[in-house]
Amino acid sequence: MEILVLIALLSPLVGSLFAGLFFATKEKNIFAGLVPTALLALSLVASLALLYEVYVSGEAVSVTLFDWINSGHLNIAFGFVVDQISVVMMCVVTIVSTLVHIYSLGYMEHDKSFNRFFSYLSAFVFSMMVLVMSDNFLGLFIGWEGVGLCSYLLIGFWYQKPFASWAANEAFIMNRIADLGMLLGIFLIYWQIGSLRYEVVFAKLGLVQHGTLIWIAALLFVGAMGKSAQFPLHTWLANAMEGPTPVSALIHAATMVTAGVYLLVRSHDLYAAVSEVSFFVACLGTFVAFFAASMALVNTDLKRIIAYSTLSQLGYMFVAAGLGYYWVALFHLMTHAFFKALLFLGAGNVMHAMHDELNIRKMGRLFGAMKVTAIMMTIASVALAGIYPFAGFFSKDKILEVAFGSGHFVLWGVLLLTAMMTAFYSFRLVMLVFFGKVAHYEKLHIHPHEASKTMLYAMAPLAILAIVAGFFEHGYQALVGKALSTAMPHIEHSIEYALIGVTLTAVILSIAFAVIKYSRGGFSPKWQDSFIFKFLSNEWYIPALYKRAIIYPYGKLGELCWQKVDLKIVDFVVDLIAKGVYLFSTECRQMHNGSLSYMLRWMVAGLAILLVIALFAYLIVVGA
């Protein structure tokens, strides 16, 4: 089994290095895309084989490559573990990543940086695999930072665009702020327990004071907030849409933003011991779910709407984890990955057809030209809305069930309202892009067309999984049951069915309202002048608040330091030293003018100085 672990882990790295060999070539080399894609498919096969092995045997597979850090009492090996939790993530990551790679062969076909793209993309997957498979917190942190670096490279992939570079910097800096909290949490773990291996740390949690456990859990969650873009560290996620669309699919479905949820699931023993932090996680997740959905209601940017959808669904996952139902959080992460990747790749098809236009109000009636894409995006939207028997129904309904069954009725009510909003904005997008009354794109003289077969073939498995993934629930429970408790809160069957009925009715009515409303042209233009519309379209004015309260004062402080400190003090001192050295060297240069009498005078002066120093030294010694 060890060879399968190494294949699953290292294949993306080899693919990234191979594509990197073609960095210097200006022309596209198809092998720079095909080889990383084939190697990632090999990683997928190895992950599925490990899934079968872990499912059948129930035992984890551990591999230690070499001793990594040996310093004093700190001994950390470069080790990996494939257990019930990590193997689920490995399969999700490799399935989505392989299909995104195949899709990218068509999407990036005419991009001049084709070779560089595949090198970065495979490195992104490798970093995520390190994060997921590591058997200790420090290895997880290395993968965590690798994911952050690759996201920076991919979000700013088209660096010639000023806003792309700005968005990459924002994502990188925002995550560095959060990662400091996570790093402090890791330091605190080692200080209290003396090890960073999961099995040792979780076995010794009972030896740590409760207050210290709260600090550890809170600091680790700060890191999760940054990676999963939870409020107030959420602003980078929507701006990250400046990267190529396959990158958006990978970030939002299977890699970067899911890392925060994985951290909580992996550390479930820790969070189960600190109910105060866990409840805060659930409350924050509920707020973020509603907060992000509200912004998606009015946004007109195709990719940003889907990005806000991701942020909202991450909130659902954190609710499940915060309430102690970690297997439900991981289950929703899995099902969400498939239909969210499908939505983003479908958005990529629409962008190609619309010459990179993203405003959904400039589209309309694209169904005739893009039937396959329209059907697939509709499937993904139905799954996102949570309609039976699509994947989203099984996982999102479980989150609503645990919120209600655990007695948190306010959280349940907000999540139900959010589910209605999700259904509405999902079909608002579908109606404005593919249906509606008017083909607005005709005014732009655009002739839309369906995506290439390569791109559609890559999307087809995701469409199938968006439909059937929920039916793997019982097999999934049997797999993760040994690592995560799969118990559910006790609810009478009649009440359980009533909850399902209420949720489905509310969601279907929201979909019907969106379809009817936007088939008739949508809301009145007066709606756009209302306070609520402006409030939501300006993202609750939070970016403006950050700009006014943080960015602008920081810029002024930097300008002040530059003008008053750097120029008038630092530069003055440096220039003064330079001038002093120059004047001194000018005078000393006279010693080398070749005049014997001049050099003798310097020798006499030097001898006199030495005699004076000797005299003072003698007097000091005699006086002592």
Side-chain angles (χ1 to χ4, degrees), residues 108-343:
M108 302 296 291
E109 182 179 6
H110 301 295
D111 195 284
K112 63 180 182 180
S113 298
F114 179 90
N115 307 340
R116 178 166 59 92
F117 177 81
F118 277 92
S119 181
Y120 291 169
L121 201 65
S122 289
F124 199 12
V125 180
F126 169 70
S127 298
M128 189 66 186
M129 294 295 278
V130 172
L131 187 158
V132 167
M133 297 172 67
S134 179
D135 66 356
N136 62 83
F137 280 102
L138 191 57
L140 178 145
F141 187 74
I142 295 299
W144 193 274
E145 293 303 297
V147 166
L149 171 62
C150 293
S151 68
Y152 167 78
L153 296 172
L154 287 166
I155 293 169
F157 182 76
W158 290 316
Y159 53 83
Q160 64 274 17
K161 298 180 179 179
F163 192 70
S165 295
W166 187 91
N169 286 330
E170 182 189 24
F172 191 79
I173 294 169
M174 193 79 78
N175 276 274
R176 296 296 69 70
I177 295 169
D179 291 351
L180 175 60
M182 181 181 178
L183 194 58
L184 291 174
I186 293 174
F187 288 158
L188 195 53
I189 289 172
Y190 179 74
W191 183 30
Q192 292 294 314
I193 295 176
S195 176
L196 295 175
R197 282 178 61 86
Y198 297 143
E199 59 181 0
V200 177
V201 172
F202 300 141
K204 294 185 176 181
L205 289 177
L207 304 177
V208 183
Q209 291 183 353
H210 186 73
T212 305
L213 287 180
I214 290 176
W215 273 106
I216 292 172
L219 289 168
L220 291 180
F221 182 62
V222 169
M225 288 169 63
K227 272 291 180 288
S228 295
Q230 297 296 283
F231 178 87
L233 303 176
H234 65 281
T235 54
W236 69 266
L237 190 65
N239 292 332
M241 297 302 97
E242 287 299 312
T245 302
V247 174
S248 303
L250 202 54
I251 288 177
H252 287 250
T255 54
M256 186 167 175
V257 299
T258 61
V261 179
Y262 174 77
L263 175 62
L264 263 67
V265 174
R266 173 55 75 186
S267 307
H268 64 275
D269 289 324
L270 168 63
Y271 285 93
V274 283
S275 57
E276 305 91 333
V277 177
S278 295
F279 185 66
F280 172 78
V281 171
C283 292
L284 180 64
T286 303
F287 169 74
V288 170
F290 173 81
F291 168 68
S294 69
M295 293 186 289
L297 289 173
V298 300
N299 203 281
T300 57
D301 186 295
L302 175 63
K303 289 175 66 177
R304 281 177 175 262
I305 293 171
I306 304 174
Y308 289 134
S309 167
T310 300
L311 185 55
S312 181
Q313 296 308 303
L314 287 167
Y316 274 92
M317 297 174 207
F318 279 113
V319 170
L323 295 179
Y325 298 92
Y326 301 97
W327 77 272
V328 177
L330 189 60
F331 185 48
H332 191 50
L333 186 157
M334 180 184 72
T335 60
H336 170 264
F338 303 134
F339 56 75
K340 185 51 56 69
L342 182 60
L343 272 174

Side-chain angles (χ1 to χ4, degrees), residues 586-614:
T586 301
E587 293 299 322
C588 290
R589 188 171 56 188
Q590 299 299 322
M591 289 189 295
H592 303 283
N593 62 4
S595 172
L596 180 60
S597 60
Y598 192 81
M599 288 188 284
L600 285 172
R601 285 197 294 271
W602 271 107
M603 290 174 64
V604 171
L607 180 60
I609 292 171
L610 288 174
L611 289 173
V612 170
I613 293 173

Side-chain angles (χ1 to χ4, degrees), residues 382-413:
V382 173
L384 174 60
I387 302 296
Y388 182 86
F390 292 79
F393 167 81
F394 293 90
S395 56
K396 188 154 62 174
D397 185 73
K398 283 283 184 296
I399 298 174
L400 290 167
E401 182 181 338
V402 299
F404 187 91
S406 58
H408 297 94
F409 302 118
V410 174
L411 301 188
W412 174 80

Side-chain angles (χ1 to χ4, degrees), residues 78-108:
F78 204 64
F80 301 91
V81 62
V82 178
D83 59 7
Q84 290 83 356
I85 298 174
S86 60
V87 77
V88 171
M89 284 296 296
M90 288 167 61
C91 290
V92 171
V93 170
T94 52
I95 288 171
V96 174
S97 300
T98 300
L99 295 174
V100 168
H101 271 67
I102 295 171
Y103 178 91
S104 300
L105 291 172
Y107 189 88
M108 302 296 291

Side-chain angles (χ1 to χ4, degrees), residues 27 47 53 85 102 199 285 345 354 386 428 456 501 567 582 621:
E27 296 182 0
S47 298
E53 176 65 24
I85 298 174
I102 295 171
E199 59 181 0
L345 298 186
M354 292 293 296
R428 169 180 175 262
L456 295 177
L567 292 179
Y582 177 77
V621 171

